[in-house]
Amino acid sequence: MKKFVNFYIVLLVLFIVLGLFGISITNDKETEDVIEKNVLENTPGYETMLAISEMTKEQQLQDAVLDIQVTPEKNNEIVLVKMQSSEFMTADILLKDSYNMLVKIANSPQIAEFTFVWYQVINSENTEVLTMTFDRAALDQLQAVSYKDLATIATVFEQHSELK
């Protein structure tokens, strides 16, 4: 009977050792990274989010992006970008920066609606100072207008009274 118990103990230890060895082999960091990359690439709106992030980084010297939200619809995407401006930026500068980014963004045909929300510190509070929303028709018109005319083609254009 004692040999029988010892045999099962040795067999149990062998299974535990093989199990731990198997877990250590399959717990590969590269496998996790590949799975995570595949999941992100197949996430709706992820490609648009990366493209917009790159476009905004090219335009801004500092890391001004607060948030990028992409809402997928049937065949289109609705994009919201929240940006932080410095307290020295004027409405004219914000419009120029927005226009330069919008021209690049307009080349993405899957974007049905695009909204810029600019924030600026006013009286020690981060305040929404400029909001602009453009539908697909307005994005298609960008090449025909200047940055000064963004308010005329935007479906929503709100400017804070403190913005110079």
Side-chain angles (χ1 to χ4, degrees):
M1 177 79 170
K2 198 172 185 183
K3 288 183 179 182
F4 187 68
V5 171
N6 286 340
F7 175 74
Y8 277 116
I9 290 175
V10 169
L11 193 60
L12 180 63
V13 169
L14 184 64
F15 281 130
I16 291 173
V17 169
L18 286 175
L20 291 174
F21 181 72
I23 289 172
S24 67
I25 289 174
T26 59
N27 194 9
D28 190 8
K29 181 68 175 155
E30 290 180 21
T31 304
E32 291 176 10
D33 290 343
V34 168
I35 291 171
E36 184 176 326
K37 183 179 178 185
N38 286 337
V39 167
L40 286 175
E41 287 175 352
N42 293 325
T43 301
Y46 180 71
E47 185 178 319
T48 302
M49 192 177 303
L50 282 179
I52 290 172
S53 177
E54 289 302 314
M55 289 176 203
T56 55
K57 284 180 185 177
E58 289 174 11
Q59 180 64 31
Q60 299 296 314
L61 296 176
Q62 60 183 359
D63 190 20
V65 177
L66 296 176
D67 189 23
I68 299 174
Q69 297 174 14
V70 179
T71 307
E73 289 190 338
K74 292 177 184 173
N75 294 324
N76 299 317
E77 296 170 336
I78 297 174
V79 180
L80 169 69
V81 176
K82 295 180 180 179
M83 305 279 290
Q84 181 69 47
S85 70
S86 72
E87 56 192 81
F88 305 109
M89 294 180 93
T90 63
D92 194 54
I93 293 172
L94 291 180
L95 289 173
K96 283 180 187 176
D97 286 350
S98 299
Y99 181 80
N100 291 334
M101 287 183 273
L102 282 168
V103 168
K104 294 176 184 175
I105 290 165
N107 293 328
S108 301
Q110 73 275 14
I111 297 176
E113 184 178 275
F114 188 89
T115 301
F116 258 124
V117 180
W118 283 94
Y119 289 87
Q120 193 173 71
V121 177
I122 298 176
N123 299 328
S124 302
E125 281 190 34
N126 207 20
T127 307
E128 189 175 307
V129 293
L130 183 62
T131 302
M132 299 178 287
T133 300
F134 302 90
D135 60 10
R136 183 74 246 167
L139 291 172
D140 291 338
Q141 292 178 7
L142 277 173
Q143 298 294 336
V145 299
S146 76
Y147 75 92
K148 294 178 183 180
D149 300 323
L150 286 179
T152 60
I153 64 168
T155 54
V156 174
F157 188 89
E158 298 171 359
Q159 183 175 331
H160 193 279
S161 61
E162 292 288 320
L163 189 61
K164 303 169 192 160

